[in-house]
Every structure is written in structure tokens, then in C-alpha cells.
Amino acid sequence: MAVVVPDIEPRLLRGFAAVADELHFTRAAARLFVAQQALSRDIRRLERQLGVELFVRSTRQVALTADGRRLLPYARNVLDAYEELATAAGDPARPLLVDLNSEGMTSSEVLKRARELASDCELMARFESGLTGAAEQIAAGRLDVSFGRFAGLDPAVRKLLAQQPVRYEPMALLLPHGHPLARLERIPLSVLSGETVYAGAGNDRTLEWTDLARRLFAGRGIRLAPPAPLAVGVDEFRRMMAKTGHPVLAVVGYSAIPGTVLRPLTDPVPLSPVSLVWRRGLRHPGLEALRTAAAELAAAGNWLVRRDEDWVPGEDADMMGASPGRGLTDGMSAG
């Protein structure tokens, strides 16, 4: 009759191999960055699962038993197989699917630099038009990475994802040439009292952006434009703007559209928090290149500096982790 061995966690096998190498629990625990008591519990648990004693312990020394010596090569083979699996999962030959939301934005700069850092990786751009929509694709494994306002996602979705703060983008208003506010070089928020501004209401892929607009408009007399048909392409976007006459909430890096002007918002300057977002547990050299690129660009451009007089929701500031008046160069968080 075949002996049924229960599923064994790789952590237990790593502990076994480390103690076998060191023949000392304290040194093995330090090597694995775990507490000695936790490592001892793991070894006892492995011994119970295998039904054998692996080590002879005394106050002075630790030695492998005959069963321990016999099983150690098998444990190492299993650990080698896990490493091969992890390497295959992070194979640079597999394209990493990266959502940029829109062309010519912060995400495009990060992707460009990441491609320079990891020229052997294939980083494929996608355009999901909103982090809410992209996050669902990431959680389902149909997309790898996106950019956007992490705090605006549903908490249940955030638990499946990890993030790295990238930038506070100053917000702006996109206006048709003939709009009265287009004559201003900068638009104080107080001037928008009584105006109706479009911010993606009705688009279920950009809920995080519409929520940010609601927070910004609250108490300032600015109305959120009602839902409108989703415009795909520059020509359709221009046509819908001309038809409704509503200014559109954007960021200062938004791509130019013929027939419109982009004006920064001031007094206070509202900031749109942008994070790099990926699925928890994802391993790929392209992801590491994106994280490195984001950190480099954020540090060089002071992208994560905000001033006391700038506006950003408190929850967003907490998740971004940067303090007023200073940058954040590591900015790495599991969310």
C-alpha cells in the first residue's frame, strides 16, 4: 500500500535544509530571517508530517538522524523544483501586460524608462481607461500592471493588489477654445462655482476618478456633469465636448486635443495621486524594471512632493505615504 504524505509547505523544507546546513538552530533562523522558536516549531511540524525524526538535538549540538540524511536530498530536489517554477513564472519571455490608461501620461514615462532598464523583457502597453476597470482585469489575471488612484478602489479589490506610489499629478481643466474660462492662464477653483464639469460619471471603469472629482467639488459649488455616452477616440471626445459644452476634469500632463486648451487649477492646487498597481504575488523582471523606473523618475522629478496648501484627500495621502514638502524615493507598499 502506498504511503500518503500530506502536502508539505516549502517553508518547512527550507527550514529543514537550513538547519541541516548549519547544524545550529540559531544560525539557521538568522539565515532565514525568522525567530528560532518559529523555526523549531516548523521542524517539529515537518517531522510529524513525515513520521520520522530528522535531527538529534542536545544542549551542545544538532545532528542529522539517518532518516534526516536520507530525506535531505529529496527536500533539496523539491526546493530546486520550486525555484524552477518561480523562474518559469517570471520568465522574461512572457510579455508583461501594462495598462497605461492614456497615452503620453506619467505611465508612459515610466514604461519608456522600464523598457530601457529591461530591454530583454517584452512590456506590452494596453489602454483600459481607468484603474477601476484595469484592477478587475489584474485581479482576474488578464492584465498585469496598471496606474492610477489606488485609494479609489473598492477595499475588497485592494486586498488582491499591491501598489507603489509614483506621483502627485496637478489637476487641470480641459476647455473648448470658445469657453469663457479658456482666456485664463490658470483657473482658481473658486471661479468654477456654478460650473458643471465632466469627470467620467456613468463610466464604471473610472469610478476612482469620479470619486476624486466629487471630493474636490464638494462645498465649492461645482456640479458634476451627468453621465454621458462613453466617447472612444479623439474625434468622438471632441464632438461630445462640443455638444455638452462642459469642461472636462484632467491633469496637467493630459495629451493635447485639437480645438481645446488645458488650464491648471489653483487655489488650492488639487493633486491626483498615481500609483503603480499590480497583482499580489506577481513575479516578473519587467515588474521590477517598472518599479525601479518609477522610483528613479519620482526621485529625479520630485513627483511625490506636495505642499501644505495643495489639496489631496486624507485617505489618499495616507496610502501614498509622502509628507508635505518632501519627496518619497522608496515609496513601496503592499497596499
Side-chain angles (χ1 to χ4, degrees):
M1 180 183 297
V3 177
V4 178
V5 179
D7 291 337
I8 298 173
E9 296 178 32
R11 186 189 77 252
L12 305 185
L13 297 178
R14 291 191 189 97
F16 173 33
V19 176
D21 287 343
E22 301 289 344
L23 294 179
H24 195 283
F25 274 83
T26 301
R27 289 197 298 268
R31 173 172 150 183
L32 296 170
F33 299 99
V34 299
Q36 180 181 334
Q37 294 86 347
L39 178 58
S40 296
R41 286 196 299 270
D42 282 349
I43 296 299
R44 288 195 295 270
R45 180 180 170 190
L46 180 61
E47 289 176 328
R48 287 195 301 270
Q49 289 187 353
L50 295 175
V52 298
E53 188 178 27
L54 299 173
F55 296 100
V56 176
R57 307 161 179 86
S58 71
T59 56
R60 293 188 176 184
Q61 65 177 7
V62 175
L64 279 163
T65 63
D67 284 323
R69 288 192 298 273
R70 178 175 59 86
L71 294 176
L72 181 59
Y74 295 97
R76 295 197 191 282
N77 288 341
V78 172
L79 291 172
D80 288 343
Y82 272 107
E83 288 300 319
E84 290 177 9
L85 177 62
T87 300
D91 187 351
R94 180 183 81 81
L96 192 76
L97 303 182
V98 184
D99 167 46
L100 300 183
N101 189 295
S102 298
E103 294 187 71
M105 308 280 281
T106 293
S107 54
S108 295
E109 295 185 54
V110 174
L111 178 61
K112 179 181 178 181
R113 177 57 181 147
R115 283 172 170 165
E116 294 171 349
L117 292 171
S119 58
D120 58 332
C121 293
E122 185 57 70
L123 304 178
M124 296 293 296
R126 294 288 188 272
F127 301 92
E128 290 294 326
S129 184
L131 183 58
T132 300
E136 293 178 0
Q137 299 295 312
I138 293 172
R142 292 188 289 270
L143 186 68
D144 294 312
V145 179
S146 188
F147 294 80
R149 181 182 168 236
F150 189 71
L153 297 177
D154 184 284
V157 176
R158 288 203 303 260
K159 290 180 180 179
L160 305 175
L161 308 174
Q163 65 121 358
Q164 176 176 324
V166 176
R167 189 174 193 172
Y168 282 114
E169 287 189 309
M171 298 170 73
L173 212 60
L174 189 67
L175 300 145
H177 274 152
H179 196 283
L181 293 177
R183 295 173 295 181
L184 301 176
E185 290 299 317
R186 297 177 178 275
I187 300 177
L189 284 171
S190 58
V191 173
L192 292 179
S193 180
E195 285 282 347
T196 299
V197 178
Y198 179 72
N203 184 351
D204 60 4
R205 294 186 297 175
T206 60
L207 298 179
E208 78 291 343
W209 179 252
T210 305
D211 175 70
L212 184 65
R214 285 196 180 97
R215 293 169 183 256
L216 176 62
F217 297 170
R220 291 188 166 91
I222 308 171
R223 294 187 294 269
L224 183 68
L230 181 62
V232 178
V234 172
D235 289 341
E236 283 300 291
F237 190 83
R238 288 174 58 193
R239 188 179 67 81
M240 289 304 299
M241 280 190 70
K243 184 175 181 179
T244 65
H246 297 319
V248 176
L249 189 66
V251 294
V252 294
Y254 195 79
S255 300
I257 295 179
T260 67
V261 296
L262 191 67
R263 298 290 185 254
L265 294 170
T266 64
D267 304 325
V269 173
L271 301 175
S272 171
V274 178
S275 288
L276 177 69
V277 180
W278 65 94
R279 185 172 56 260
R280 284 183 183 272
L282 175 64
R283 295 180 61 177
H284 193 287
L287 173 60
E288 295 310 309
L290 285 166
R291 297 187 68 180
T292 300
E296 282 185 5
L297 293 170
N302 289 325
W303 281 359
L304 286 163
V305 171
R306 61 184 175 87
R307 305 166 303 171
D308 287 321
E309 59 267 30
D310 295 335
W311 177 91
V312 65
E315 182 182 10
D316 290 81
D318 290 342
M319 290 191 182
M320 293 289 281
S323 300
R326 54 184 284 267
L328 185 69
T329 55
D330 53 3
M332 312 226 175
S333 167

